[in-house]
Amino acid sequence: MEQRKLQHLFLRAGFGETPDNIHALLPLTREEIVEQLFLASKDYKGIAYLPYPLKENQYEKGVNVFQLVSMILNSKKDLEELNGEWLFKMAYTKAVLREKMTFFWHNHFSTSAPFAYIMQAQNNTLRKNALGKFSDLLHAVSKDPAMILYLNNQENKKNHPNENFAREVMELFSLGEGNYLEKDIKEAARAFTGWTVNMKGEYEFKELEHDKGGKTFFGKTGNFNGEDIVNMILNKKQTALYITGKIYQEFVNPKLNKERVEELAESFYQSGYDISGLMKKIFLSDWFYDEENIGIKICSPVELLVRYKKLLSLEFESNQTLIDLQNALGQTLFFPPNVAGWKGGTNWIHSTALLLRLNLPGHILSGEGFKISSKPAFEEKNEMAENSSKAIQKKLKADWSSIENFFKNQDQGKLTETVLTYFIQCSPNKIDKQLFPQVSNSEGIAKICAHIMSLPEFQLI
């Protein structure tokens, strides 16, 4: 398979690959490589970093209000550590496609709840269903404790319906805005009454709080419950079209190809919402590898950090350094900005975040500390930043040996061009190679690589 197209596949279906692995896969066909990707992600293995928070004698009776407050206070630190655990899994798992899809669903079903354990449970629910049937995933997330708490469905009772959950299930998670009526939201909210979370942090249906009356939804009348509503949503082809569109924008091109999306959506719907089938169809298609789809997507902060970790075994001085980096870049795992998730695209490269992205490789190479504040901002030698209580010295540690060993035998006269082919996906023709550092292979491979990683073009995948 052609190198650039192979890198394109791994940057979209995963988080990029090392030059060694790319080189090893070149003799294989597209079909063989895609099959390997799916085979490696066939089995599900969740994150079990955080133990169940209740002691044995608390399991049956749950927790009291004081224990609940204590759990909330401890959860911020636990969530930060869970963040690092997931980033590590993204970088080093063989099931890279499953992790990339989990990352996608994490933004699609955007959630943030003040209980680390139930966020871990939701993350595992997303991972378990990431490549299965979207119908199963939507049902599972609809009963997910973190989601119910985040969208206030525990307050949704027959005498006082709360519409938050019902609205977002349709607007953001399945149909898309404008493909339902306000009356549908009100009636769906009634159907979801009684769906709540108990004191053990588990989903529980409270029958006494459920509205058993007749409801009219999508023009049909019946004594519908929450499961019925989800199934009626799934019966609409608009759901397949909406989900396919979001997947296309994330994995193929931010600009929708309407005809192509409609064709994929029809197949997705007819398959019973088979996510693996949809993704295989995309990755095996000729058009996925068209020039218009390669090197045109701005990578997200998490994708960027995972890529560095894969390429350089990047280590952070502390877990707090990782969190501060994510905050400054504008994307912190388990802490989405709102229920709509991160917007992505050019939103990733506002002036302060772009400066951090471009300067980061130099700091990784030097290993020296640098100032970072959580504005987000990056101010290397700014007196205001140095005097700010929010600007703290951070250190990163990297291992360049793998990359140096791979490139050390390259023709010195072609070293820069060779490194560019492995790290830059968009056309490198406009890059002024005269500005690159003049070094020998033995002493400067890392320096050349760091220079290329500091180019704006490195941010495009």
Side-chain angles (χ1 to χ4, degrees):
M1 187 173 177
E2 184 185 326
Q3 180 186 323
R4 186 161 170 257
K5 291 181 178 180
L6 180 57
Q7 290 167 178
H8 173 63
L9 173 62
F10 275 93
L11 283 165
R12 300 297 179 84
F15 303 91
E17 260 306 339
T18 63
D20 300 76
N21 289 341
I22 291 294
H23 184 75
L25 290 169
L26 289 175
L28 301 183
T29 66
R30 180 192 306 173
E31 290 74 17
E32 288 171 329
I33 294 167
V34 170
E35 189 61 31
Q36 282 188 14
L37 269 172
F38 279 87
L39 191 61
S41 292
K42 182 179 178 181
D43 296 328
Y44 155 75
K45 186 176 181 181
I47 291 178
Y49 181 74
L50 298 174
Y52 187 73
L54 299 182
K55 297 178 181 177
E56 190 173 342
N57 64 342
Q58 294 175 313
Y59 182 78
E60 290 299 326
K61 59 184 179 181
V63 297
N64 61 41
V65 66
F66 299 106
Q67 292 167 326
L68 195 64
V69 170
S70 176
M71 287 169 64
I72 292 174
L73 292 174
N74 290 329
S75 270
K76 184 177 183 294
K77 184 175 184 297
D78 288 341
L79 275 169
E80 291 174 350
E81 292 180 1
L82 184 63
N83 180 314
E85 187 71 11
W86 188 15
L87 195 113
F88 183 91
K89 189 175 180 68
M90 288 182 191
Y92 298 121
T93 184
K94 291 182 179 179
V96 64
L97 176 58
R98 185 171 291 274
E99 288 310 309
K100 187 60 173 281
M101 292 304 300
T102 304
F103 180 56
F104 169 76
W105 295 123
H106 175 59
N107 192 40
H108 179 76
F109 294 108
S110 180
T111 313
S112 183
F115 301 99
Y117 182 81
I118 67 170
M119 287 303 296
Q120 176 179 275
Q122 185 195 70
N123 190 249
N124 283 330
T125 294
L126 299 178
R127 181 173 292 104
K128 182 179 180 180
N129 295 281
L131 287 163
K133 295 293 183 74
F134 178 74
S135 49
D136 294 338
L137 177 57
L138 186 60
H139 273 287
V141 173
S142 296
K143 289 185 177 180
D144 175 71
M147 181 63 75
I148 288 174
L149 290 173
Y150 186 51
L151 293 180
N152 311 114
N153 207 70
Q154 78 278 13
E155 300 171 14
N156 189 16
K157 303 174 182 180
K158 63 181 178 181
N159 295 325
H160 300 284
N162 184 302
E163 298 174 8
N164 262 16
F165 181 71
R167 181 181 298 277
E168 305 309 351
V169 163
M170 287 184 272
E171 180 177 323
L172 296 174
F173 304 157
S174 60
L175 293 165
E177 189 175 3
N179 293 295
Y180 50 84
L181 302 174
E182 283 297 312
K183 182 181 179 181
D184 293 323
I185 294 173
K186 295 181 184 299
E187 298 293 271
R190 292 176 57 213
F192 287 120
T193 51
W195 287 34
T196 187
V197 179
N198 63 25
M199 292 298 281
K200 299 180 208 173
E202 302 167 338
Y203 166 80
E204 184 175 298
F205 175 64
K206 293 189 176 181
E207 190 172 357
L208 293 177
E209 294 176 359
H210 177 64
D211 186 338
K212 296 180 180 179
K215 307 163 189 78
T216 301
F217 184 70
F218 292 161
K220 297 180 180 179
T221 301
N223 183 18
F224 302 130
N225 58 28
E227 289 91 345
D228 295 326
I229 295 298
V230 173
N231 285 330
M232 292 169 78
I233 288 171
L234 290 164
N235 283 336
K236 282 193 168 288
K237 286 189 177 182
Q238 172 58 31
T239 296
L241 187 64
Y242 177 72
I243 298 302
T244 303
K246 287 199 69 173
I247 285 175
Y248 187 93
Q249 288 180 303
E250 180 64 26
F251 291 90
V252 183
N253 196 313
K255 293 181 180 179
L256 286 174
N257 182 312
K258 186 178 178 182
E259 183 178 337
R260 196 168 287 155
V261 169
E262 287 176 352
E263 181 182 339
L264 289 168
E266 179 64 27
S267 174
F268 187 41
Y269 183 79
Q270 295 300 333
S271 72
Y273 290 100
D274 181 4
I275 300 167
S276 285
L278 173 61
M279 301 312 295
K280 269 188 182 178
K281 196 174 286 286
I282 290 171
F283 296 144
L284 288 172
S285 68
D286 290 335
W287 49 257
F288 176 72
Y289 303 92
D290 284 348
E291 191 67 29
E292 64 182 17
N293 296 324
I294 298 179
I296 49 84
K297 186 173 175 288
I298 301 168
C299 68
S300 72
V302 168
E303 288 172 317
L304 182 66
L305 292 176
V306 175
R307 191 179 180 191
Y308 280 134
K309 198 162 185 64
K310 288 178 74 73
L311 290 172
L312 306 170
S313 300
L314 186 63
E315 294 181 11
F316 307 93
E317 182 182 32
S318 67
N319 200 60
Q320 191 58 50
T321 298
L322 171 60
I323 298 300
D324 288 343
L325 264 174
Q326 289 181 34
N327 284 339
L329 289 167
Q331 186 180 40
T332 308
L333 292 172
F334 300 108
F335 293 95
N338 50 55
V339 69
W342 295 281
K343 292 182 179 179
T346 55
N347 293 283
W348 294 135
I349 53 168
H350 54 81
S351 58
T352 49
L354 180 59
L355 190 58
L356 170 53
R357 284 174 178 247
L358 300 184
N359 280 278
L360 198 53
H363 288 289
I364 293 174
L365 180 64
S366 70
E368 297 175 355
F370 62 98
K371 299 286 185 180
I372 188 171
S373 72
S374 55
K375 294 181 184 180
F378 178 79
E379 298 156 300
E380 186 176 3
K381 294 182 180 180
N382 187 304
E383 290 184 8
M384 185 179 294
E386 291 175 0
N387 294 330
S388 168
S389 61
K390 292 184 179 179
I392 305 170
Q393 189 93 342
K394 303 294 178 184
K395 289 187 178 180
L396 303 169
K397 182 181 178 182
D399 181 1
W400 294 83
S401 60
S402 178
I403 281 180
E404 288 176 324
N405 288 335
F406 181 81
F407 289 113
K408 67 181 180 182
N409 295 321
Q410 299 293 329
D411 182 338
Q412 185 171 338
K414 297 181 179 179
L415 179 61
T416 297
E417 286 81 359
T418 302
V419 176
L420 279 169
T421 65
Y422 277 93
F423 293 148
I424 302 297
Q425 283 296 99
C426 60
S427 175
N429 296 335
K430 296 182 179 179
I431 297 174
D432 188 352
K433 301 177 186 62
Q434 299 299 317
L435 299 177
F436 279 58
Q438 299 301 310
V439 294
S440 66
N441 284 29
S442 59
E443 64 181 21
I445 292 174
K447 194 172 182 180
I448 289 176
C449 291
H451 183 85
I452 289 173
M453 290 174 183
S454 71
L455 297 172
E457 289 83 359
F458 184 76
Q459 310 296 324
L460 297 174
I461 61 173

